[in-house]
Amino acid sequence: MIRSIVFASNNKGKVKETKAVLQSESVKVLTLSDLGLVLVPDETGTTFEENATIKATEVAALLKENGHSDFMVIADDSGIEIDAMGKKPGVDSANFLGTETPFVIRNAKILEMLEHTEERTARFVSVIACALPCGETILTRATIEGVISHEQKGENGFGYDPIFFLPELGKMMAELSDNEKNKISHRGKSLEKMVEALRKKGLLS
Ligand code: IMP
């Protein structure tokens, strides 16, 4: 049975959400920095699946080199697909307008680009890759549909949450509490699917 999972991410928002979703499982979630290691994998893939696999397998290899060959590694590759922008920024969501540009500016740019369009449908996508100690990699994917708003609203979450409106809840993603977001979000659902897959393999209780 696995007792510790390494979550391969430097994104504070993702780490917080992942730890919260997995807290009820009988595993401890660690990050590379908890182990005194650093790695920023080159996301050279063209799909969420490819990039999630790169992150999980590169981190698993680094752990092996450092004598931690028994860890299971999970990685999330995620992003927002905006239909009026041809599903962009998609896999490039982290780099849209540059990684150093504050999200308030990136979100303002998207609202400006969509100013004259009625087509506002969008979705968040999350693919979780899990690199198992045996060398196998498992993938899960989940999405959440929403609508790009006309203004930024809400203080919670991170990234594109302040422009992502959830019609069924009548709220922005950034207006949900951590708990509410994790229950419905792309990442929450994708992680739940991964927990289920690992249970089926007998790797989680
Ligand atoms: P990556 O998976 O490291 O390539 O980065 C994913 C990027 O997508 C993040 O940096 C955010 O910009 C965006 N993103 C992913 N998930 C969320 C979310 O739950 N809310 C808001 N933005 C997100």
Side-chain angles (χ1 to χ4, degrees), residues 22 45-46 63 131 153:
L22 297 179
T46 55
L63 288 171
K153 201 170 164 205

Side-chain angles (χ1 to χ4, degrees), residues 11 14 43 55 76-79 93-94 103 124 158-161 181 186-187:
N11 180 317
K14 286 188 189 183
E43 296 184 31
K55 290 186 230 183
D76 160 280
D77 198 65
S78 48
S93 294
F103 268 97
F124 277 119
F158 65 97
Y160 301 98
D161 285 346
K181 180 177 174 186
H186 49 311
R187 189 167 304 100

